[in-house]
Amino acid sequence: MTNTILARIIKFLESIGIMVIDTALDDDTFLPGLRLEGQQILVDPSRLKYPGDLLHEAGHIAVTQSDLRPLIGTDDIGANWPELGDEIVAILWSYAALYHLELDPKVVFHEEGYKNESPWFIEQFTNGVYMGLPLLSWMGLCEEHEFPKMKRWLR
């Protein structure tokens, strides 16, 4: 099941222009088995704990301005990246991706994620409470009245 979900997520990400590179990674990563580099995600399947983490990390790439995306994963992106607003819309973006892929919200909002607030995020989003939606709309990625349907996936 998990391999099937991972394959669906990777196929989706690559279809929107976020490449997923299978590679060996050490333990020096923010999330197990994942590292962002520009507009690609390096993934070590042997270390990856939750396939849905790819969607959240892809959300960071997706909501970053296109001219800044090549800097992701480097010191040039700045110590404040991602900013709080970017974090909020990356979370919302990942929910839209779940919706698009028809996956259970627990794929991204798993028990070890979001500082134990995953059930709260699931409750909010499934009840139509979309914090960050005005910002996601302002970025040109969706129409507020049509969310979680997206107009486009990359800012």
Side-chain angles (χ1 to χ4, degrees), residues 102-118:
E102 300 178 346
L103 295 173
D104 186 308
K106 290 180 182 177
V107 170
V108 169
F109 303 104
H110 51 78
E111 67 273 0
E112 290 188 35
Y114 303 93
K115 300 178 183 175
N116 299 317
E117 294 297 329
S118 290

Side-chain angles (χ1 to χ4, degrees), residues 17-100:
I18 298 175
M19 300 311 299
V20 179
I21 310 298
D22 191 332
T23 189
L25 295 172
D26 57 28
D27 289 331
D28 187 26
T29 58
F30 181 71
L31 290 172
L34 294 174
R35 178 174 290 134
L36 300 182
E37 285 188 6
Q39 195 162 312
Q40 63 186 16
I41 301 172
L42 306 181
V43 63
D44 184 338
S46 69
R47 295 181 186 265
L48 181 68
K49 286 183 79 173
Y50 298 100
D53 288 346
L54 275 128
L55 287 179
H56 177 76
E57 294 306 304
H60 284 298
I61 293 170
V63 302
T64 298
Q65 292 173 246
S66 61
D67 60 322
L68 296 178
R69 272 189 229 126
L71 305 178
I72 295 173
T74 71
D75 291 337
D76 294 332
I77 193 71
N80 292 333
W81 184 89
E83 294 179 3
L84 182 57
D86 295 328
E87 183 66 40
I88 291 168
V89 293
I91 292 169
L92 191 58
W93 184 97
S94 67
Y95 178 77
L98 283 170
Y99 178 84
H100 175 77

